[in-house]
PDB file of all heavy atoms in Angstrom:
ATOM      1  N   GLU A  21      72.607 -21.912  19.147  1.00  0.00           N
ATOM      2  CA  GLU A  21      71.222 -22.162  18.737  1.00  0.00           C
ATOM      3  C   GLU A  21      70.346 -20.926  18.909  1.00  0.00           C
ATOM      4  O   GLU A  21      69.441 -20.693  18.122  1.00  0.00           O
ATOM      5  CB  GLU A  21      70.640 -23.334  19.517  1.00  0.00           C
ATOM      6  CG  GLU A  21      71.155 -24.661  19.037  1.00  0.00           C
ATOM      7  CD  GLU A  21      70.447 -25.850  19.661  1.00  0.00           C
ATOM      8  OE1 GLU A  21      69.831 -25.710  20.739  1.00  0.00           O
ATOM      9  OE2 GLU A  21      70.522 -26.930  19.064  1.00  0.00           O
ATOM     10  N   ALA A  34      81.879 -17.355  28.261  1.00  0.00           N
ATOM     11  CA  ALA A  34      82.369 -17.372  29.649  1.00  0.00           C
ATOM     12  C   ALA A  34      81.267 -16.935  30.609  1.00  0.00           C
ATOM     13  O   ALA A  34      81.050 -17.566  31.650  1.00  0.00           O
ATOM     14  CB  ALA A  34      83.596 -16.468  29.785  1.00  0.00           C
ATOM     15  N   LYS A  35      80.565 -15.885  30.248  1.00  0.00           N
ATOM     16  CA  LYS A  35      79.485 -15.393  31.100  1.00  0.00           C
ATOM     17  C   LYS A  35      78.388 -16.450  31.247  1.00  0.00           C
ATOM     18  O   LYS A  35      77.905 -16.720  32.352  1.00  0.00           O
ATOM     19  CB  LYS A  35      78.906 -14.105  30.508  1.00  0.00           C
ATOM     20  CG  LYS A  35      77.819 -13.485  31.354  1.00  0.00           C
ATOM     21  CD  LYS A  35      77.342 -12.172  30.742  1.00  0.00           C
ATOM     22  CE  LYS A  35      76.228 -11.582  31.581  1.00  0.00           C
ATOM     23  NZ  LYS A  35      75.710 -10.344  30.993  1.00  0.00           N
ATOM     24  N   LYS A  38      79.408 -19.185  33.443  1.00  0.00           N
ATOM     25  CA  LYS A  38      79.694 -18.708  34.794  1.00  0.00           C
ATOM     26  C   LYS A  38      81.140 -18.966  35.202  1.00  0.00           C
ATOM     27  O   LYS A  38      81.431 -19.458  36.291  1.00  0.00           O
ATOM     28  CB  LYS A  38      78.713 -19.312  35.800  1.00  0.00           C
ATOM     29  CG  LYS A  38      77.288 -18.922  35.510  1.00  0.00           C
ATOM     30  CD  LYS A  38      76.316 -19.504  36.502  1.00  0.00           C
ATOM     31  CE  LYS A  38      74.940 -18.988  36.122  1.00  0.00           C
ATOM     32  NZ  LYS A  38      73.861 -19.826  36.424  1.00  0.00           N
ATOM     33  N   VAL A  65      76.915 -36.273  22.972  1.00  0.00           N
ATOM     34  CA  VAL A  65      75.672 -36.237  23.752  1.00  0.00           C
ATOM     35  C   VAL A  65      74.576 -37.073  23.088  1.00  0.00           C
ATOM     36  O   VAL A  65      73.828 -37.776  23.757  1.00  0.00           O
ATOM     37  CB  VAL A  65      75.196 -34.779  23.950  1.00  0.00           C
ATOM     38  CG1 VAL A  65      73.775 -34.712  24.472  1.00  0.00           C
ATOM     39  CG2 VAL A  65      76.145 -34.033  24.886  1.00  0.00           C
ATOM     40  N   LEU A  72      75.150 -44.646  14.000  1.00  0.00           N
ATOM     41  CA  LEU A  72      75.833 -45.056  12.777  1.00  0.00           C
ATOM     42  C   LEU A  72      76.042 -46.571  12.674  1.00  0.00           C
ATOM     43  O   LEU A  72      76.469 -47.066  11.634  1.00  0.00           O
ATOM     44  CB  LEU A  72      77.191 -44.356  12.681  1.00  0.00           C
ATOM     45  CG  LEU A  72      77.141 -42.868  12.374  1.00  0.00           C
ATOM     46  CD1 LEU A  72      78.508 -42.226  12.596  1.00  0.00           C
ATOM     47  CD2 LEU A  72      76.644 -42.621  10.963  1.00  0.00           C
ATOM     48  N   ARG A  76      77.284 -48.750   9.398  1.00  0.00           N
ATOM     49  CA  ARG A  76      78.620 -49.347   9.443  1.00  0.00           C
ATOM     50  C   ARG A  76      78.598 -50.871   9.344  1.00  0.00           C
ATOM     51  O   ARG A  76      79.572 -51.480   8.906  1.00  0.00           O
ATOM     52  CB  ARG A  76      79.338 -48.912  10.713  1.00  0.00           C
ATOM     53  CG  ARG A  76      79.702 -47.441  10.706  1.00  0.00           C
ATOM     54  CD  ARG A  76      80.274 -46.979  12.018  1.00  0.00           C
ATOM     55  NE  ARG A  76      80.726 -45.593  11.935  1.00  0.00           N
ATOM     56  CZ  ARG A  76      81.002 -44.849  12.982  1.00  0.00           C
ATOM     57  NH1 ARG A  76      80.893 -45.349  14.217  1.00  0.00           N
ATOM     58  NH2 ARG A  76      81.396 -43.598  12.821  1.00  0.00           N
ATOM     59  N   ALA A  78      76.225 -52.648   7.646  1.00  0.00           N
ATOM     60  CA  ALA A  78      75.389 -53.074   6.514  1.00  0.00           C
ATOM     61  C   ALA A  78      76.074 -54.188   5.727  1.00  0.00           C
ATOM     62  O   ALA A  78      77.288 -54.201   5.561  1.00  0.00           O
ATOM     63  CB  ALA A  78      75.093 -51.882   5.615  1.00  0.00           C
ATOM     64  N   SER A  80      75.651 -54.897   2.515  1.00  0.00           N
ATOM     65  CA  SER A  80      75.940 -54.588   1.116  1.00  0.00           C
ATOM     66  C   SER A  80      76.090 -53.076   0.941  1.00  0.00           C
ATOM     67  O   SER A  80      75.706 -52.296   1.818  1.00  0.00           O
ATOM     68  CB  SER A  80      74.807 -55.087   0.210  1.00  0.00           C
ATOM     69  OG  SER A  80      73.641 -54.302   0.398  1.00  0.00           O
ATOM     70  N   GLY A  81      76.618 -52.701  -0.192  1.00  0.00           N
ATOM     71  CA  GLY A  81      76.780 -51.280  -0.491  1.00  0.00           C
ATOM     72  C   GLY A  81      75.455 -50.551  -0.578  1.00  0.00           C
ATOM     73  O   GLY A  81      75.330 -49.434  -0.069  1.00  0.00           O
ATOM     74  N   PHE A 100      70.553 -29.158  13.756  1.00  0.00           N
ATOM     75  CA  PHE A 100      70.225 -28.081  12.823  1.00  0.00           C
ATOM     76  C   PHE A 100      70.495 -26.686  13.387  1.00  0.00           C
ATOM     77  O   PHE A 100      71.044 -25.830  12.687  1.00  0.00           O
ATOM     78  CB  PHE A 100      68.760 -28.184  12.371  1.00  0.00           C
ATOM     79  CG  PHE A 100      68.366 -27.090  11.422  1.00  0.00           C
ATOM     80  CD1 PHE A 100      68.915 -27.019  10.165  1.00  0.00           C
ATOM     81  CD2 PHE A 100      67.460 -26.114  11.813  1.00  0.00           C
ATOM     82  CE1 PHE A 100      68.569 -26.000   9.285  1.00  0.00           C
ATOM     83  CE2 PHE A 100      67.108 -25.092  10.943  1.00  0.00           C
ATOM     84  CZ  PHE A 100      67.667 -25.031   9.679  1.00  0.00           C
ATOM     85  N   ALA A 117      83.874 -20.901  10.311  1.00  0.00           N
ATOM     86  CA  ALA A 117      84.110 -21.624   9.063  1.00  0.00           C
ATOM     87  C   ALA A 117      84.954 -22.872   9.320  1.00  0.00           C
ATOM     88  O   ALA A 117      84.690 -23.939   8.755  1.00  0.00           O
ATOM     89  CB  ALA A 117      84.783 -20.718   8.038  1.00  0.00           C
ATOM     90  N   TRP A 120      82.697 -25.467  10.985  1.00  0.00           N
ATOM     91  CA  TRP A 120      81.756 -26.052  10.025  1.00  0.00           C
ATOM     92  C   TRP A 120      82.501 -26.967   9.054  1.00  0.00           C
ATOM     93  O   TRP A 120      82.018 -28.048   8.715  1.00  0.00           O
ATOM     94  CB  TRP A 120      80.974 -24.974   9.288  1.00  0.00           C
ATOM     95  CG  TRP A 120      79.948 -25.555   8.373  1.00  0.00           C
ATOM     96  CD1 TRP A 120      79.863 -25.404   7.023  1.00  0.00           C
ATOM     97  CD2 TRP A 120      78.864 -26.420   8.728  1.00  0.00           C
ATOM     98  NE1 TRP A 120      78.800 -26.108   6.530  1.00  0.00           N
ATOM     99  CE2 TRP A 120      78.168 -26.745   7.552  1.00  0.00           C
ATOM    100  CE3 TRP A 120      78.424 -26.960   9.942  1.00  0.00           C
ATOM    101  CZ2 TRP A 120      77.061 -27.583   7.542  1.00  0.00           C
ATOM    102  CZ3 TRP A 120      77.312 -27.795   9.930  1.00  0.00           C
ATOM    103  CH2 TRP A 120      76.643 -28.097   8.745  1.00  0.00           C
ATOM    104  N   GLY A 130      81.406 -40.072   5.868  1.00  0.00           N
ATOM    105  CA  GLY A 130      80.289 -41.015   5.824  1.00  0.00           C
ATOM    106  C   GLY A 130      79.807 -41.266   4.410  1.00  0.00           C
ATOM    107  O   GLY A 130      79.511 -42.407   4.029  1.00  0.00           O
ATOM    108  N   SER A 147      79.041 -43.946 -14.436  1.00  0.00           N
ATOM    109  CA  SER A 147      78.992 -42.607 -15.020  1.00  0.00           C
ATOM    110  C   SER A 147      79.796 -41.560 -14.255  1.00  0.00           C
ATOM    111  O   SER A 147      79.903 -40.421 -14.696  1.00  0.00           O
ATOM    112  CB  SER A 147      77.539 -42.142 -15.149  1.00  0.00           C
ATOM    113  OG  SER A 147      76.973 -41.955 -13.865  1.00  0.00           O
ATOM    114  N   SER A 149      83.209 -40.936 -11.114  1.00  0.00           N
ATOM    115  CA  SER A 149      84.266 -41.476 -10.255  1.00  0.00           C
ATOM    116  C   SER A 149      83.755 -41.573  -8.814  1.00  0.00           C
ATOM    117  O   SER A 149      82.702 -41.009  -8.469  1.00  0.00           O
ATOM    118  CB  SER A 149      85.491 -40.558 -10.302  1.00  0.00           C
ATOM    119  OG  SER A 149      85.196 -39.319  -9.663  1.00  0.00           O
ATOM    120  N   THR A 154      80.891 -39.220  -4.286  1.00  0.00           N
ATOM    121  CA  THR A 154      80.912 -38.689  -2.919  1.00  0.00           C
ATOM    122  C   THR A 154      80.432 -37.247  -2.909  1.00  0.00           C
ATOM    123  O   THR A 154      79.644 -36.852  -2.047  1.00  0.00           O
ATOM    124  CB  THR A 154      82.324 -38.815  -2.317  1.00  0.00           C
ATOM    125  OG1 THR A 154      82.704 -40.195  -2.302  1.00  0.00           O
ATOM    126  CG2 THR A 154      82.381 -38.257  -0.909  1.00  0.00           C
ATOM    127  N   ASP A 155      80.899 -36.455  -3.876  1.00  0.00           N
ATOM    128  CA  ASP A 155      80.460 -35.055  -3.991  1.00  0.00           C
ATOM    129  C   ASP A 155      78.950 -34.966  -4.168  1.00  0.00           C
ATOM    130  O   ASP A 155      78.285 -34.137  -3.529  1.00  0.00           O
ATOM    131  CB  ASP A 155      81.134 -34.370  -5.188  1.00  0.00           C
ATOM    132  CG  ASP A 155      82.626 -34.180  -5.030  1.00  0.00           C
ATOM    133  OD1 ASP A 155      83.139 -34.250  -3.891  1.00  0.00           O
ATOM    134  OD2 ASP A 155      83.293 -33.966  -6.065  1.00  0.00           O
ATOM    135  N   ASP A 172      61.036 -25.122   4.457  1.00  0.00           N
ATOM    136  CA  ASP A 172      60.431 -24.248   3.447  1.00  0.00           C
ATOM    137  C   ASP A 172      59.306 -24.924   2.668  1.00  0.00           C
ATOM    138  O   ASP A 172      58.304 -24.297   2.347  1.00  0.00           O
ATOM    139  CB  ASP A 172      61.494 -23.726   2.474  1.00  0.00           C
ATOM    140  CG  ASP A 172      62.552 -22.879   3.163  1.00  0.00           C
ATOM    141  OD1 ASP A 172      62.294 -22.390   4.289  1.00  0.00           O
ATOM    142  OD2 ASP A 172      63.639 -22.701   2.588  1.00  0.00           O
ATOM    143  N   ALA A 189      70.035 -43.437  -4.500  1.00  0.00           N
ATOM    144  CA  ALA A 189      70.124 -44.705  -5.239  1.00  0.00           C
ATOM    145  C   ALA A 189      70.067 -44.465  -6.749  1.00  0.00           C
ATOM    146  O   ALA A 189      70.852 -45.055  -7.512  1.00  0.00           O
ATOM    147  CB  ALA A 189      69.019 -45.663  -4.793  1.00  0.00           C
TER     148      ALA A 189
END
Side-chain angles (χ1 to χ4, degrees):
E21 285 188 339
K35 183 177 179 182
K38 298 180 178 150
V65 167
L72 288 168
R76 291 174 175 165
S80 70
F100 179 67
W120 184 240
S147 67
S149 69
T154 300
D155 293 342
D172 298 341

